[in-house]
Amino acid sequence: MNAESLLHYISQHIHLTGEEIDILLSLTKYRKYLKGQFVVQQGDVCQYESFVLSGCLKTFYIDKEGQEHVVMFSVEDWWASDLGSFLTHTPADYNVQCLENTELFQFPYDKMELLYAKIPKLERFFRIILQKAFVASQKRIVQNFSLTAKERYLQFKQQYPQIEQRVPQYLIASYLGITKEFLSKIRNQLILEQ
Amino acid sequence: MNAESLLHYISQHIHLTGEEIDILLSLTKYRKYLKGQFVVQQGDVCQYESFVLSGCLKTFYIDKEGQEHVVMFSVEDWWASDLGSFLTHTPADYNVQCLENTELFQFPYDKMELLYAKIPKLERFFRIILQKAFVASQKRIVQNFSLTAKERYLQFKQQYPQIEQRVPQYLIASYLGITKEFLSKIRNQLILEQ
């Protein structure tokens, strides 16, 4: 199991001893998914908080009209889960699906309290991770009522520099809340402005 | 200083010793605000995470056209701050203003690391608080593209049972993203359906 990138990521926030790393690895799990597979399905309870070792995923919502709304993309060193469902152990609002073959490192719901008890420093780690997630979520709400589609697209390119080449255009349009045709128009406009 | 309701709230999540309570109270502060006063102003850095002892506040955003968007109300036992600004120490996206005379218990930004060092249990406390905040924020995003205005209003009544009598109708309409007239129409419809 290749947990190196997770351990490096954790070490940016807290220091774990060798013994703590052993406990962490014994209570969490590594899993491979194929392109197209679902990590979470809307309506099921999300059982894992998943750290992306490699690959790319989309988190999306299907509304009553069957329309897909992409709320997040996840690549290496990001997290992928319906955190609300995971934390409250209630049915997921979102789907999380792999856009590429993906390797995840998963924290199981039923091991979290044991993990916190055995490695109290993880409280700090997840407190910091949640801060970042919350801030990103709040920014998303503000952007939706304050930025034009073009500004949201530029913001997206800045926030997700690696993703644009890996993800189909219609999913980026869905994330931005616009049609594929309108995204194409914005891109052409930006090329002309350069 | 009446910190009792804060201490009761904290005790639902972690147990603090007498000594830890003394440290907590020495590093935090109690403050009264008058109706109309601002706790946070858009563009300033939010210096405090504020717990509501009494009173009522609105968190809102002013867009480029000068339009007000209410994103949150806070009453007793809720938090009121621009958490994104507080956590990242960058200018606030939001204003937080008192709708009634209000008493707050404030956690200063520059004391947080000292508080975590002296009372490590607070990592757990704020981890749990952030979980709740994050889940609420995600639900808000989903509701905005999945529920009708009427469904959002019913959801609002359920989430904030005490607030409807305390807050002007136009602010509730702003929170729901509809006009005051449309809110009035929805309310009349619901009365007819009873």
Side-chain angles (χ1 to χ4, degrees):
Chain A
M1 163 173 32
N2 177 9
E4 256 173 56
S5 63
L6 172 69
L7 295 176
H8 174 72
Y9 178 85
I10 292 176
S11 74
Q12 295 172 335
H13 302 295
I14 53 169
H15 172 73
L16 293 181
T17 65
E19 196 190 343
E20 286 168 337
I21 289 173
D22 290 345
I23 294 169
L24 178 74
L25 298 183
S26 74
L27 292 174
T28 50
K29 61 182 228 177
Y30 165 83
R31 186 163 166 191
K32 278 188 186 184
Y33 288 87
L34 293 174
K35 179 175 174 173
Q37 272 194 301
F38 282 75
V39 178
V40 183
Q41 303 206 50
Q42 203 164 331
D44 291 350
V45 173
C46 174
Q47 302 292 345
Y48 301 100
E49 197 162 356
S50 299
F51 179 82
V52 184
L53 298 170
S54 73
C56 179
L57 308 94
K58 64 172 173 175
T59 298
F60 66 104
Y61 175 83
I62 301 283
D63 69 21
K64 282 178 204 155
E65 280 75 43
Q67 179 92 23
E68 174 176 340
H69 303 269
V70 175
V71 292
M72 196 173 90
F73 295 106
S74 307
V75 286
E76 290 76 12
D77 278 10
W78 289 62
W79 295 81
S81 65
D82 182 322
L83 200 49
S85 165
F86 177 79
L87 295 172
T88 59
H89 219 53
T90 54
D93 290 321
Y94 299 114
N95 296 284
V96 180
Q97 189 182 15
C98 299
L99 298 171
E100 301 173 357
N101 291 343
T102 295
E103 290 176 292
L104 298 178
F105 203 91
Q106 300 187 307
F107 290 72
Y109 177 81
D110 59 3
K111 295 291 189 303
M112 290 312 290
E113 283 307 315
L114 188 59
L115 272 166
Y116 286 128
K118 296 219 178 239
I119 315 171
K121 281 176 243 175
L122 286 179
E123 298 277 6
R124 180 177 178 84
F125 173 69
F126 281 107
R127 196 256 302 160
I128 294 170
I129 298 308
L130 276 160
Q131 284 183 1
K132 288 175 190 279
F134 180 78
V135 170
S137 176
Q138 287 292 95
K139 291 272 173 212
R140 184 86 205 271
I141 294 175
V142 171
Q143 284 165 12
N144 281 353
F145 53 62
S146 66
L147 300 185
T148 64
K150 185 173 157 189
E151 287 167 334
R152 291 206 300 280
Y153 173 64
L154 290 170
Q155 177 73 35
F156 166 82
K157 279 168 75 84
Q158 199 177 4
Q159 191 181 348
Y160 291 110
Q162 325 91 322
I163 294 184
E164 213 181 356
Q165 282 70 42
R166 296 167 71 171
V167 167
Q169 291 305 303
Y170 77 94
L171 290 179
I172 297 175
S174 167
Y175 175 86
L176 297 171
I178 58 179
T179 62
K180 209 175 77 176
E181 291 70 28
F182 192 43
L183 174 58
S184 173
K185 204 172 140 186
I186 290 170
R187 289 164 62 103
N188 288 336
Q189 219 176 52
L190 285 167
I191 290 167
L192 287 174
E193 283 173 16
Q194 271 174 353
Chain B
M1 164 173 30
N2 177 8
E4 256 173 56
S5 63
L6 172 69
L7 296 176
H8 175 71
Y9 179 85
I10 291 176
S11 75
Q12 295 172 333
H13 302 295
I14 53 169
H15 172 74
L16 294 181
T17 65
E19 196 190 343
E20 286 168 337
I21 290 172
D22 290 345
I23 295 169
L24 178 74
L25 298 183
S26 74
L27 292 174
T28 50
K29 62 183 227 176
Y30 165 84
R31 187 165 167 192
K32 277 188 187 185
Y33 288 86
L34 294 174
K35 180 176 172 170
Q37 273 193 300
F38 282 75
V39 178
V40 183
Q41 304 206 51
Q42 202 165 331
D44 292 350
V45 173
C46 174
Q47 301 292 344
Y48 301 101
E49 197 162 357
S50 299
F51 179 82
V52 185
L53 298 170
S54 73
C56 179
L57 308 95
K58 64 171 174 176
T59 300
F60 65 104
Y61 175 84
I62 302 283
D63 70 20
K64 282 179 202 153
E65 280 75 44
Q67 179 91 22
E68 174 176 340
H69 303 268
V70 175
V71 292
M72 194 172 90
F73 295 106
S74 307
V75 286
E76 290 76 12
D77 280 10
W78 289 62
W79 296 80
S81 65
D82 182 323
L83 201 50
S85 166
F86 177 79
L87 295 171
T88 58
H89 219 53
T90 53
D93 290 321
Y94 299 113
N95 296 282
V96 180
Q97 189 182 16
C98 299
L99 298 171
E100 300 173 358
N101 292 344
T102 295
E103 290 176 291
L104 298 178
F105 203 92
Q106 300 187 308
F107 290 72
Y109 177 80
D110 59 2
K111 294 291 189 303
M112 290 310 289
E113 282 306 316
L114 187 59
L115 271 166
Y116 286 128
K118 295 220 178 238
I119 316 171
K121 280 175 241 176
L122 286 179
E123 297 277 7
R124 180 178 179 85
F125 174 69
F126 281 107
R127 195 255 302 160
I128 294 169
I129 298 308
L130 276 160
Q131 283 182 3
K132 288 174 190 279
F134 180 78
V135 171
S137 176
Q138 289 290 96
K139 291 272 174 210
R140 185 86 205 271
I141 294 176
V142 171
Q143 284 165 12
N144 281 353
F145 53 62
S146 65
L147 299 185
T148 64
K150 186 172 155 190
E151 287 167 334
R152 291 206 300 279
Y153 173 65
L154 291 170
Q155 177 74 33
F156 166 82
K157 279 168 76 82
Q158 199 178 4
Q159 192 181 347
Y160 291 109
Q162 325 92 321
I163 295 183
E164 211 180 358
Q165 282 70 44
R166 296 166 72 171
V167 167
Q169 290 306 304
Y170 77 94
L171 291 179
I172 297 175
S174 167
Y175 175 86
L176 296 171
I178 58 179
T179 63
K180 209 175 76 174
E181 291 70 28
F182 192 42
L183 174 58
S184 174
K185 204 171 138 187
I186 290 171
R187 288 163 63 101
N188 289 334
Q189 220 175 51
L190 285 167
I191 290 165
L192 287 174
E193 283 173 17
Q194 271 171 354

